[in-house]
Amino acid sequence: MTGECNIVDHYILGVVKKILPRNEEIIHSSLFLIRAKEDELDDLDWYFNGYSVISERVSNRIRNLCNNKTVTFANTGLYSISQSQQYVAEEEIARATTSLNYLFSHIKSGIQLVNKATEVYKEKLSVIR
């Protein structure tokens, strides 16, 4: 394995594996909702920059996952985990996916996830103001 892999990469891969459509807004919204519930992702700063604009950090991580052939990207805007990827252990992806299944058990589609993230973001924004 090469490069730095941490909990954010695990969750990105878990989101890619679980939720359709698999585009950056879905991934970003998912991580925003996870961040709202878990302290492990404290290096992400959506509360100040807004979740709806894809953060540079998440975009960079997705680009790195594509560059090292862990994730592939289709012209349709869909991501998928490469069958031959060796960057993240399958157990870590499975652990993140299990966590996502628990956290998002009530969410059935990508647009529902984005809508929920928008709702949570607006709630947090009103508290900050």
Side-chain angles (χ1 to χ4, degrees):
M1 280 209 228
T2 60
E4 175 194 347
C5 179
N6 68 19
I7 191 75
V8 177
D9 293 324
H10 300 161
Y11 275 115
I12 288 172
L13 292 172
V15 171
V16 166
K17 190 168 188 173
K18 177 176 172 45
I19 299 173
L20 290 171
R22 298 171 179 159
N23 61 33
E24 284 193 21
E25 188 174 6
I26 304 297
I27 293 167
H28 192 275
S29 296
S30 299
L31 290 170
F32 174 77
L33 290 172
I34 294 164
R35 173 62 187 99
K37 296 180 180 185
E38 292 195 10
D39 292 334
E40 279 185 287
L41 302 182
D42 61 357
D43 63 336
L44 303 170
D45 57 1
W46 289 299
Y47 299 117
F48 303 104
N49 294 331
Y51 95 94
S52 62
V53 176
I54 304 303
S55 77
E56 195 61 32
R57 182 169 287 165
V58 172
S59 294
N60 283 339
R61 287 187 181 277
I62 294 169
R63 190 176 312 114
N64 289 340
L65 290 168
C66 288
N67 287 342
N68 69 26
K69 308 289 189 243
T70 302
V71 169
T72 59
F73 179 72
N75 291 338
T76 57
L78 301 182
Y79 290 94
S80 63
I81 298 175
S82 301
Q83 290 183 349
S84 62
Q85 79 85 23
Q86 297 181 12
Y87 179 65
V88 180
E90 289 296 326
E91 306 83 57
E92 296 299 333
I93 298 172
R95 187 176 298 130
T97 303
T98 299
S99 180
L100 287 166
N101 285 335
Y102 172 75
L103 290 170
F104 300 146
S105 60
H106 60 288
I107 292 178
K108 303 300 179 202
S109 70
I111 193 65
Q112 189 181 5
L113 195 146
V114 171
N115 290 339
K116 179 64 177 173
T118 302
E119 177 186 316
V120 170
Y121 176 70
K122 287 179 180 176
E123 287 171 12
K124 293 196 174 291
L125 194 60
S126 68
V127 169
I128 292 172
R129 291 183 178 165

